[in-house]
Amino acid sequence: MIFIKNGSINTITNGVIEGDILIKNGKIAEIGKDIVAPLDAKIIDAKGKYIFPGFIDAHTHLGLWEDGMGFEGADGNEETDPITPQLNPIDGINPMDRTFKEAYEGGITSVCTTPGSANVMGGQCIAIKTFGRRIDNMIIKNPVASKIAFGENPKSCYGQDEKMPQTRMAIAALLRENLKKAEEYLEDLEIYEEHEDQDKPEYDMKMESLIPVLKGEIPFKVHAHRADDIFTAIRIAKEFNVKLTLDHCTEGHLIAEELADENYPVVVGPSLSERSKIELRNLTFETAGILSNSGLDVSLMTDHPVIPVQYLPVCAGIAVKHGMKEEEALKSITINPAKTLGIDDRVGSIEVGKDADLVIWDNLPLRIESNVLYTIIDGKVVYKR
């Protein structure tokens, strides 16, 4: 047991409480004032300090591109086939990579790790904790989404080799073709399950992996920078009645009114980076604030290793500087990504019954000079400054 006393507790969902937190069996057991500490509890005095839920990065490649390595540590893009929805990061993540330690020392306790965007369908996405040695024991939910990509990345990966897709038309066509195949595969499975005299369809791992998307159990996680690509993603989602999250959303501020009407979750970033390709010509830190002020649930992302994951709070602070409300910026790295990833029953806010993923700061965390004093994941102190 851990008993944290006398702290300023920002619950994110239920305001700020001046008081104590009791942690039992890896979960938050009590929150409030004047809680009696059990005799066998480890005491942490947080007087004058700030307690926040562990921060969540909604879109990273943590562990798939290892730090300081080239080809040997690059396991995020299978650039041999533009359609690979069956891939899963659990088989490519190296949790021994030192950036995991940098993540939790920076107050980031959970992330979504996704395949890269070379392929039109890149694979599944998983939500993991940032502390551990064995990835199997770090998973919060697998899968949380299925990755698809529009625009320059799949075009440049395959078009230069005179392979499909060379154009945005081909990207959309490949998506439609494979979604239609997946629909037919699912229909054949359902017929087989309902009628004993029917032959079971031959197992297809690609189509099998798309069934949770077709059933609405997980969304497509959409790599899209340009406004026209965002609209194509929405068009196809409506055709097949599937869910989306719009990731990157670099030109989202140009179409804020339309996106507010559509009301898909948006994941904005990486904004603290150069305009390294033509799709990023309208990159600005104002995007998150404009979309948030339009009523959308906005999450921020580092796209690690594009921006090192520990600088997620810095990105939130800069977003505030450029027009995002501070309360919404804090939500964008806590409860909003938790909801978007479908893991808000466990993380994203300080509530009784949730995982004890807590960070104690010496100052408000969106300030550049603030330091993490303690990081607690699943009720265990994994870092102490």
mmCIF file of all heavy atoms in Angstrom, residues 202-231:
data_model
loop_
_atom_site.group_PDB
_atom_site.id
_atom_site.type_symbol
_atom_site.label_atom_id
_atom_site.label_comp_id
_atom_site.label_asym_id
_atom_site.label_seq_id
_atom_site.Cartn_x
_atom_site.Cartn_y
_atom_site.Cartn_z
ATOM 1 N N GLU A 202 -12.156 -20.415 -45.796
ATOM 2 C CA GLU A 202 -10.723 -20.586 -45.548
ATOM 3 C C GLU A 202 -10.196 -19.412 -44.727
ATOM 4 O O GLU A 202 -10.501 -18.249 -45.008
ATOM 5 C CB GLU A 202 -9.972 -20.689 -46.872
ATOM 6 C CG GLU A 202 -8.482 -20.959 -46.716
ATOM 7 C CD GLU A 202 -7.779 -21.111 -48.055
ATOM 8 O OE1 GLU A 202 -8.467 -21.175 -49.094
ATOM 9 O OE2 GLU A 202 -6.532 -21.154 -48.047
ATOM 10 N N TYR A 203 -9.404 -19.735 -43.701
ATOM 11 C CA TYR A 203 -8.892 -18.702 -42.800
ATOM 12 C C TYR A 203 -8.043 -17.686 -43.557
ATOM 13 O O TYR A 203 -7.170 -18.040 -44.351
ATOM 14 C CB TYR A 203 -8.059 -19.346 -41.690
ATOM 15 C CG TYR A 203 -7.461 -18.347 -40.728
ATOM 16 C CD1 TYR A 203 -8.246 -17.731 -39.757
ATOM 17 C CD2 TYR A 203 -6.110 -18.004 -40.788
ATOM 18 C CE1 TYR A 203 -7.708 -16.817 -38.869
ATOM 19 C CE2 TYR A 203 -5.562 -17.086 -39.903
ATOM 20 C CZ TYR A 203 -6.370 -16.494 -38.949
ATOM 21 O OH TYR A 203 -5.825 -15.586 -38.074
ATOM 22 N N ASP A 204 -8.339 -16.403 -43.326
ATOM 23 C CA ASP A 204 -7.594 -15.308 -43.947
ATOM 24 C C ASP A 204 -7.206 -14.334 -42.836
ATOM 25 O O ASP A 204 -8.054 -13.615 -42.298
ATOM 26 C CB ASP A 204 -8.458 -14.611 -44.997
ATOM 27 C CG ASP A 204 -7.688 -13.564 -45.796
ATOM 28 O OD1 ASP A 204 -6.822 -12.889 -45.207
ATOM 29 O OD2 ASP A 204 -7.963 -13.398 -47.002
ATOM 30 N N MET A 205 -5.929 -14.318 -42.477
ATOM 31 C CA MET A 205 -5.480 -13.525 -41.327
ATOM 32 C C MET A 205 -5.710 -12.031 -41.536
ATOM 33 O O MET A 205 -6.060 -11.295 -40.597
ATOM 34 C CB MET A 205 -3.999 -13.797 -41.062
ATOM 35 C CG MET A 205 -3.503 -13.271 -39.727
ATOM 36 S SD MET A 205 -1.777 -13.735 -39.441
ATOM 37 C CE MET A 205 -1.549 -13.132 -37.772
ATOM 38 N N LYS A 206 -5.532 -11.563 -42.764
ATOM 39 C CA LYS A 206 -5.757 -10.143 -43.047
ATOM 40 C C LYS A 206 -7.216 -9.770 -42.791
ATOM 41 O O LYS A 206 -7.526 -8.791 -42.119
ATOM 42 C CB LYS A 206 -5.376 -9.815 -44.490
ATOM 43 C CG LYS A 206 -3.886 -9.828 -44.778
ATOM 44 C CD LYS A 206 -3.621 -9.382 -46.212
ATOM 45 C CE LYS A 206 -2.137 -9.312 -46.508
ATOM 46 N NZ LYS A 206 -1.851 -8.829 -47.879
ATOM 47 N N MET A 207 -8.120 -10.554 -43.369
ATOM 48 C CA MET A 207 -9.537 -10.247 -43.220
ATOM 49 C C MET A 207 -9.999 -10.442 -41.776
ATOM 50 O O MET A 207 -10.820 -9.685 -41.264
ATOM 51 C CB MET A 207 -10.357 -11.135 -44.159
ATOM 52 C CG MET A 207 -10.036 -10.936 -45.642
ATOM 53 S SD MET A 207 -10.252 -9.232 -46.222
ATOM 54 C CE MET A 207 -8.542 -8.661 -46.373
ATOM 55 N N GLU A 208 -9.454 -11.454 -41.123
ATOM 56 C CA GLU A 208 -9.802 -11.726 -39.731
ATOM 57 C C GLU A 208 -9.488 -10.515 -38.846
ATOM 58 O O GLU A 208 -10.252 -10.158 -37.949
ATOM 59 C CB GLU A 208 -9.035 -12.949 -39.232
ATOM 60 C CG GLU A 208 -9.565 -13.574 -37.974
ATOM 61 C CD GLU A 208 -10.785 -14.455 -38.172
ATOM 62 O OE1 GLU A 208 -10.993 -14.949 -39.291
ATOM 63 O OE2 GLU A 208 -11.524 -14.640 -37.187
ATOM 64 N N SER A 209 -8.356 -9.871 -39.124
ATOM 65 C CA SER A 209 -7.934 -8.741 -38.288
ATOM 66 C C SER A 209 -8.813 -7.508 -38.473
ATOM 67 O O SER A 209 -8.805 -6.604 -37.629
ATOM 68 C CB SER A 209 -6.475 -8.378 -38.608
ATOM 69 O OG SER A 209 -6.367 -7.828 -39.907
ATOM 70 N N LEU A 210 -9.585 -7.473 -39.582
ATOM 71 C CA LEU A 210 -10.459 -6.324 -39.838
ATOM 72 C C LEU A 210 -11.859 -6.499 -39.262
ATOM 73 O O LEU A 210 -12.653 -5.557 -39.242
ATOM 74 C CB LEU A 210 -10.549 -6.066 -41.351
ATOM 75 C CG LEU A 210 -9.262 -5.546 -42.005
ATOM 76 C CD1 LEU A 210 -9.402 -5.523 -43.521
ATOM 77 C CD2 LEU A 210 -8.893 -4.164 -41.484
ATOM 78 N N ILE A 211 -12.170 -7.695 -38.771
ATOM 79 C CA ILE A 211 -13.499 -7.945 -38.229
ATOM 80 C C ILE A 211 -13.834 -7.008 -37.059
ATOM 81 O O ILE A 211 -14.944 -6.453 -37.005
ATOM 82 C CB ILE A 211 -13.657 -9.426 -37.829
ATOM 83 C CG1 ILE A 211 -13.738 -10.295 -39.095
ATOM 84 C CG2 ILE A 211 -14.902 -9.639 -36.968
ATOM 85 C CD1 ILE A 211 -13.778 -11.782 -38.819
ATOM 86 N N PRO A 212 -12.904 -6.767 -36.092
ATOM 87 C CA PRO A 212 -13.240 -5.831 -35.007
ATOM 88 C C PRO A 212 -13.572 -4.420 -35.507
ATOM 89 O O PRO A 212 -14.370 -3.711 -34.877
ATOM 90 C CB PRO A 212 -11.981 -5.827 -34.141
ATOM 91 C CG PRO A 212 -11.310 -7.129 -34.435
ATOM 92 C CD PRO A 212 -11.583 -7.394 -35.877
ATOM 93 N N VAL A 213 -12.978 -4.019 -36.635
ATOM 94 C CA VAL A 213 -13.296 -2.708 -37.215
ATOM 95 C C VAL A 213 -14.706 -2.721 -37.777
ATOM 96 O O VAL A 213 -15.513 -1.817 -37.521
ATOM 97 C CB VAL A 213 -12.283 -2.333 -38.312
ATOM 98 C CG1 VAL A 213 -12.664 -1.001 -38.954
ATOM 99 C CG2 VAL A 213 -10.873 -2.264 -37.748
ATOM 100 N N LEU A 214 -15.034 -3.752 -38.545
ATOM 101 C CA LEU A 214 -16.358 -3.839 -39.169
ATOM 102 C C LEU A 214 -17.464 -3.948 -38.125
ATOM 103 O O LEU A 214 -18.578 -3.458 -38.334
ATOM 104 C CB LEU A 214 -16.411 -5.038 -40.114
ATOM 105 C CG LEU A 214 -15.518 -4.965 -41.352
ATOM 106 C CD1 LEU A 214 -15.612 -6.257 -42.151
ATOM 107 C CD2 LEU A 214 -15.900 -3.774 -42.230
ATOM 108 N N LYS A 215 -17.161 -4.569 -37.000
ATOM 109 C CA LYS A 215 -18.155 -4.718 -35.936
ATOM 110 C C LYS A 215 -18.242 -3.490 -35.035
ATOM 111 O O LYS A 215 -19.059 -3.453 -34.108
ATOM 112 C CB LYS A 215 -17.831 -5.951 -35.089
ATOM 113 C CG LYS A 215 -18.108 -7.271 -35.799
ATOM 114 C CD LYS A 215 -17.895 -8.453 -34.856
ATOM 115 C CE LYS A 215 -18.328 -9.761 -35.492
ATOM 116 N NZ LYS A 215 -18.160 -10.913 -34.559
ATOM 117 N N GLY A 216 -17.401 -2.498 -35.293
ATOM 118 C CA GLY A 216 -17.435 -1.278 -34.493
ATOM 119 C C GLY A 216 -16.779 -1.408 -33.138
ATOM 120 O O GLY A 216 -16.971 -0.567 -32.266
ATOM 121 N N GLU A 217 -15.999 -2.474 -32.943
ATOM 122 C CA GLU A 217 -15.342 -2.690 -31.651
ATOM 123 C C GLU A 217 -14.107 -1.812 -31.487
ATOM 124 O O GLU A 217 -13.762 -1.430 -30.367
ATOM 125 C CB GLU A 217 -14.964 -4.167 -31.527
ATOM 126 C CG GLU A 217 -16.164 -5.092 -31.498
ATOM 127 C CD GLU A 217 -15.809 -6.561 -31.656
ATOM 128 O OE1 GLU A 217 -14.616 -6.876 -31.853
ATOM 129 O OE2 GLU A 217 -16.732 -7.396 -31.596
ATOM 130 N N ILE A 218 -13.434 -1.508 -32.586
ATOM 131 C CA ILE A 218 -12.283 -0.603 -32.586
ATOM 132 C C ILE A 218 -12.381 0.295 -33.815
ATOM 133 O O ILE A 218 -13.011 -0.081 -34.812
ATOM 134 C CB ILE A 218 -10.932 -1.363 -32.587
ATOM 135 C CG1 ILE A 218 -10.792 -2.239 -33.831
ATOM 136 C CG2 ILE A 218 -10.756 -2.165 -31.310
ATOM 137 C CD1 ILE A 218 -9.411 -2.869 -33.994
ATOM 138 N N PRO A 219 -11.743 1.477 -33.771
ATOM 139 C CA PRO A 219 -11.778 2.371 -34.935
ATOM 140 C C PRO A 219 -10.577 2.155 -35.849
ATOM 141 O O PRO A 219 -9.602 1.494 -35.482
ATOM 142 C CB PRO A 219 -11.697 3.753 -34.291
ATOM 143 C CG PRO A 219 -10.804 3.520 -33.098
ATOM 144 C CD PRO A 219 -11.145 2.131 -32.595
ATOM 145 N N PHE A 220 -10.654 2.725 -37.025
ATOM 146 C CA PHE A 220 -9.459 2.946 -37.823
ATOM 147 C C PHE A 220 -8.721 4.142 -37.230
ATOM 148 O O PHE A 220 -9.335 5.168 -36.914
ATOM 149 C CB PHE A 220 -9.806 3.249 -39.278
ATOM 150 C CG PHE A 220 -9.966 2.040 -40.149
ATOM 151 C CD1 PHE A 220 -11.041 1.939 -41.021
ATOM 152 C CD2 PHE A 220 -9.034 1.015 -40.128
ATOM 153 C CE1 PHE A 220 -11.194 0.842 -41.836
ATOM 154 C CE2 PHE A 220 -9.176 -0.093 -40.945
ATOM 155 C CZ PHE A 220 -10.260 -0.192 -41.799
ATOM 156 N N LYS A 221 -7.419 4.007 -37.082
ATOM 157 C CA LYS A 221 -6.565 5.117 -36.647
ATOM 158 C C LYS A 221 -5.959 5.687 -37.917
ATOM 159 O O LYS A 221 -5.105 5.057 -38.551
ATOM 160 C CB LYS A 221 -5.490 4.618 -35.683
ATOM 161 C CG LYS A 221 -4.812 5.704 -34.874
ATOM 162 C CD LYS A 221 -3.999 5.074 -33.749
ATOM 163 C CE LYS A 221 -3.395 6.121 -32.823
ATOM 164 N NZ LYS A 221 -4.415 6.930 -32.129
ATOM 165 N N VAL A 222 -6.401 6.875 -38.305
ATOM 166 C CA VAL A 222 -6.145 7.405 -39.642
ATOM 167 C C VAL A 222 -4.956 8.356 -39.641
ATOM 168 O O VAL A 222 -4.987 9.400 -38.978
ATOM 169 C CB VAL A 222 -7.387 8.146 -40.178
ATOM 170 C CG1 VAL A 222 -7.089 8.752 -41.540
ATOM 171 C CG2 VAL A 222 -8.574 7.203 -40.260
ATOM 172 N N HIS A 223 -3.904 7.987 -40.388
ATOM 173 C CA HIS A 223 -2.809 8.907 -40.661
ATOM 174 C C HIS A 223 -3.249 9.813 -41.805
ATOM 175 O O HIS A 223 -3.381 9.360 -42.946
ATOM 176 C CB HIS A 223 -1.554 8.107 -41.040
ATOM 177 C CG HIS A 223 -0.463 8.930 -41.662
ATOM 178 N ND1 HIS A 223 0.701 9.270 -40.991
ATOM 179 C CD2 HIS A 223 -0.334 9.474 -42.905
ATOM 180 C CE1 HIS A 223 1.478 9.969 -41.796
ATOM 181 N NE2 HIS A 223 0.863 10.111 -42.955
ATOM 182 N N ALA A 224 -3.522 11.091 -41.493
ATOM 183 C CA ALA A 224 -3.941 12.038 -42.526
ATOM 184 C C ALA A 224 -3.523 13.442 -42.123
ATOM 185 O O ALA A 224 -3.892 13.914 -41.046
ATOM 186 C CB ALA A 224 -5.449 11.972 -42.740
ATOM 187 N N HIS A 225 -2.774 14.098 -42.987
ATOM 188 C CA HIS A 225 -2.341 15.473 -42.749
ATOM 189 C C HIS A 225 -3.232 16.473 -43.486
ATOM 190 O O HIS A 225 -3.719 17.432 -42.899
ATOM 191 C CB HIS A 225 -0.894 15.661 -43.206
ATOM 192 C CG HIS A 225 0.120 14.981 -42.348
ATOM 193 N ND1 HIS A 225 0.503 15.466 -41.114
ATOM 194 C CD2 HIS A 225 0.836 13.843 -42.541
ATOM 195 C CE1 HIS A 225 1.420 14.662 -40.577
ATOM 196 N NE2 HIS A 225 1.629 13.668 -41.425
ATOM 197 N N ARG A 226 -3.434 16.244 -44.787
ATOM 198 C CA ARG A 226 -4.152 17.206 -45.616
ATOM 199 C C ARG A 226 -5.660 17.121 -45.425
ATOM 200 O O ARG A 226 -6.209 16.066 -45.119
ATOM 201 C CB ARG A 226 -3.818 16.965 -47.099
ATOM 202 C CG ARG A 226 -2.603 17.726 -47.544
ATOM 203 C CD ARG A 226 -2.183 17.507 -48.970
ATOM 204 N NE ARG A 226 -3.205 17.139 -49.940
ATOM 205 C CZ ARG A 226 -2.954 17.011 -51.234
ATOM 206 N NH1 ARG A 226 -1.725 17.221 -51.696
ATOM 207 N NH2 ARG A 226 -3.906 16.653 -52.075
ATOM 208 N N ALA A 227 -6.306 18.250 -45.645
ATOM 209 C CA ALA A 227 -7.760 18.314 -45.485
ATOM 210 C C ALA A 227 -8.463 17.342 -46.418
ATOM 211 O O ALA A 227 -9.423 16.670 -46.017
ATOM 212 C CB ALA A 227 -8.241 19.742 -45.732
ATOM 213 N N ASP A 228 -8.008 17.246 -47.670
ATOM 214 C CA ASP A 228 -8.690 16.357 -48.611
ATOM 215 C C ASP A 228 -8.548 14.898 -48.195
ATOM 216 O O ASP A 228 -9.476 14.097 -48.363
ATOM 217 C CB ASP A 228 -8.193 16.572 -50.041
ATOM 218 C CG ASP A 228 -6.691 16.405 -50.197
ATOM 219 O OD1 ASP A 228 -5.957 16.518 -49.196
ATOM 220 O OD2 ASP A 228 -6.242 16.170 -51.340
ATOM 221 N N ASP A 229 -7.404 14.532 -47.619
ATOM 222 C CA ASP A 229 -7.230 13.158 -47.137
ATOM 223 C C ASP A 229 -8.134 12.871 -45.941
ATOM 224 O O ASP A 229 -8.672 11.761 -45.801
ATOM 225 C CB ASP A 229 -5.768 12.910 -46.752
ATOM 226 C CG ASP A 229 -4.854 12.832 -47.965
ATOM 227 O OD1 ASP A 229 -5.311 12.375 -49.019
ATOM 228 O OD2 ASP A 229 -3.682 13.234 -47.842
ATOM 229 N N ILE A 230 -8.305 13.862 -45.077
ATOM 230 C CA ILE A 230 -9.204 13.707 -43.938
ATOM 231 C C ILE A 230 -10.630 13.442 -44.430
ATOM 232 O O ILE A 230 -11.324 12.541 -43.939
ATOM 233 C CB ILE A 230 -9.160 14.960 -43.042
ATOM 234 C CG1 ILE A 230 -7.781 15.087 -42.379
ATOM 235 C CG2 ILE A 230 -10.259 14.917 -41.985
ATOM 236 C CD1 ILE A 230 -7.543 16.412 -41.686
ATOM 237 N N PHE A 231 -11.054 14.203 -45.443
ATOM 238 C CA PHE A 231 -12.407 14.016 -45.971
ATOM 239 C C PHE A 231 -12.559 12.673 -46.675
ATOM 240 O O PHE A 231 -13.630 12.057 -46.620
ATOM 241 C CB PHE A 231 -12.761 15.164 -46.918
ATOM 242 C CG PHE A 231 -13.027 16.472 -46.225
ATOM 243 C CD1 PHE A 231 -12.580 17.667 -46.770
ATOM 244 C CD2 PHE A 231 -13.731 16.522 -45.032
ATOM 245 C CE1 PHE A 231 -12.832 18.880 -46.141
ATOM 246 C CE2 PHE A 231 -13.986 17.728 -44.392
ATOM 247 C CZ PHE A 231 -13.532 18.903 -44.949
#
